[in-house]
Amino acid sequence: MVTTRYPPPLFSIAPMMECTNNHFRTLARLISRHAWLYTEMFAAETIVHQKGNLDKYLAFGQDQHPIVLQIGGSDLDNIAKATQLASSYGYDEINFNCGCPSPKVEKGCFGLQLMLDPKFVADAMSVISANSDVPVTVKCRIGVDSHDSYDELCDFIYKVSSQSPTKHFIIHSRKGLLKRLTPRQNRSIPPLKYEYYYALVRDFPNLQFTLNGGINTIDEVASALKEGAHGVMVGRAAYNNSWNLLADVDSAIYGAPPSGLTRRQVLAKYKAYANSVLGMYGSEPNVRELIKPLLGFFHSAPGNGLWKRKADAAFLKCSTVDSFFNETIIAIPDSVLDAPIVTASPVVGLSNVFANAKNLLPPPPSTLQDQELQHS
């Protein structure tokens, strides 16, 4: 298994539609060498349908390892075919989406909807594993609509893990509400229940769990790991505040020595990448698509507001990456561009919600004990 070559997934960046594409992943890897990267979710049907054009969707630079492909689907034949097609690209793991609450996904009867059908999920995971040679994982929530008890979550985890090769679950610690909330609302309105996550760690000692949901800083990542999380996945904060969040990952989470990397160095390498792929597929990617991952790069830094205004104007007239930077980079002071990464000091008095959650653990479900006896 290729994943043994890399540090464990103590920190990973969540799969996000229209965000974690090749361009953002390239930027993220320039900032952090150790963070685990995820693709956007690709529907199995899309992979099968685009089999003559898959490089546009699935190809990635080899420096992006470790990288995980996320797929979704509700047809086992298509899931098998998609896995076969994707396997040649050399992803380090394949993740199956059981947590996306978007109407499009629900209409296709996959994503979050699948948490109500653990047998199908187990079958899908077995199919994915049989058609690839890398570990398979599931990303899910803690419940769906009124099916949100800890017992029901344990039933899902137990059935999928006991009936398939799945040994690693990424747990978004909110339930999802189908129909009643938008995907954006589902990221914030349902309450976080970290106690469910830590109870899973307690009750399934032979499985690996990554914590996801509501985590926005490196301090929070470190606190969750200190309280026993196997790994932590961060989503929008990594995309919208990429430098401030990702620059600390290697030293603060993985213990690597400070790299001394600066924003100017990252931009020079990213610009070289952007120039190399501009218009690779006809009119795509264009300048706007290539610059989009950088819109959070100067978050809260002096000059950020002016840079964004200049970027908006440059998008209207610049057809090359070099001309875009010539128009915009003057907005950012040299002191920002040339400041090296410095490991942030811990925030004094940070509320440790994860330690508090461990005081709220639900009891182990009796149904889990009965199932273990039946299979012993």
Side-chain angles (χ1 to χ4, degrees):
M1 291 183 182
V2 279
T3 54
T4 57
R5 293 184 298 173
Y6 306 109
L10 299 177
F11 181 97
S12 54
I13 301 176
M16 293 174 279
M17 296 298 292
E18 300 182 0
C19 292
T20 51
N21 56 23
N22 221 348
H23 316 318
F24 173 75
R25 297 194 310 266
T26 297
L27 175 66
R29 181 58 74 226
L30 288 173
I31 304 171
S32 169
R33 291 173 298 168
H34 298 317
W36 281 63
L37 307 180
Y38 279 65
T39 68
E40 303 172 83
M41 184 195 72
F42 291 106
E45 289 73 14
T46 298
I47 295 175
V48 173
H49 180 70
Q50 295 287 345
K51 63 181 179 180
N53 191 32
L54 281 180
D55 281 1
K56 180 178 178 180
Y57 300 92
L58 299 184
F60 61 91
Q62 291 305 298
D63 57 350
Q64 289 186 30
H65 291 288
I67 179 172
V68 181
L69 170 68
Q70 187 185 66
I71 64 174
S74 58
D75 180 277
L76 292 178
D77 287 340
N78 277 333
I79 290 171
K81 293 174 183 176
T83 304
Q84 292 170 1
L85 290 168
S87 291
S88 63
Y89 286 88
Y91 287 94
D92 298 298
E93 293 183 358
I94 299 178
N95 177 263
F96 190 56
N97 185 316
C98 295
C100 181
S102 81
K104 291 182 181 179
V105 167
E106 182 192 356
K107 186 177 180 181
C109 295
F110 61 101
L112 180 60
Q113 186 88 13
L114 291 181
M115 285 198 69
L116 302 176
D117 191 355
K119 183 182 184 307
F120 175 83
V121 175
D123 290 342
M125 300 308 292
S126 296
V127 164
I128 295 170
S129 180
N131 286 278
S132 67
D133 59 357
V134 297
V136 294
T137 67
V138 166
K139 188 174 190 294
C140 63
R141 289 187 172 237
I142 60 171
V144 187
D145 294 332
S146 61
H147 301 277
D148 59 356
S149 70
Y150 181 65
D151 282 29
E152 289 168 299
L153 175 60
C154 286
D155 184 68
F156 175 81
I157 298 294
Y158 178 79
K159 287 178 178 176
V160 174
S161 63
S162 63
Q163 298 172 24
S164 79
T166 310
K167 302 303 176 189
H168 181 190
F169 293 80
I170 295 90
I171 307 294
H172 186 146
S173 296
R174 288 184 174 95
K175 74 174 182 178
L177 294 171
L178 298 170
K179 297 186 176 68
R180 293 165 51 192
L181 297 178
T182 66
R184 184 186 183 99
Q185 291 171 326
N186 263 305
R187 293 196 296 268
S188 59
I189 291 178
L192 288 160
K193 291 189 174 183
Y194 294 131
E195 60 268 27
Y196 278 24
Y197 169 83
Y198 283 104
L200 291 175
V201 172
R202 176 198 65 194
D203 294 335
F204 294 89
N206 296 323
L207 300 180
Q208 181 179 0
F209 296 99
T210 291
L211 177 62
N212 175 226
I215 299 172
N216 298 308
T217 70
I218 288 297
D219 284 311
E220 291 169 348
V221 173
S223 294
L225 292 171
K226 181 180 178 181
E227 295 301 327
H230 299 153
V232 176
M233 175 178 280
V234 177
R236 303 286 155 177
Y239 189 84
N240 296 328
N241 192 7
S242 53
W243 177 261
N244 290 331
L245 189 80
L246 299 180
D248 276 338
V249 167
D250 292 352
S251 56
I253 303 304
Y254 286 95
S259 66
L261 191 67
T262 68
R263 280 186 173 101
R264 193 187 298 276
Q265 292 169 334
V266 171
L267 286 177
K269 293 178 180 179
Y270 186 80
K271 186 164 69 170
Y273 158 78
N275 280 323
S276 73
V277 300
L278 180 67
M280 179 177 285
Y281 302 101
S283 61
E284 297 178 343
N286 57 35
V287 170
R288 182 183 293 269
E289 292 166 336
L290 289 166
I291 298 302
K292 181 185 174 186
L294 292 173
L295 295 181
F297 190 63
F298 299 110
H299 180 83
S300 74
N304 179 56
L306 178 60
W307 183 80
K308 284 190 173 181
R309 291 193 293 275
K310 286 183 173 292
D312 286 340
F315 286 142
L316 299 177
K317 60 181 179 180
C318 293
S319 58
T320 68
V321 175
D322 287 337
S323 63
F324 174 88
F325 279 105
N326 289 339
E327 292 281 338
T328 61
I329 200 62
I330 193 173
I332 304 298
D334 288 343
S335 59
V336 172
L337 291 170
D338 296 322
I341 292 175
V342 177
T343 301
S345 300
V347 177
V348 177
L350 178 71
S351 175
N352 195 338
V353 295
F354 309 107
N356 295 338
K358 292 182 72 175
N359 294 323
L360 301 172
L361 300 186
S366 58
T367 53
L368 177 61
Q369 297 170 7
D370 293 341
Q371 289 168 336
E372 289 176 338
L373 287 174
Q374 292 172 15
H375 289 81
S376 61

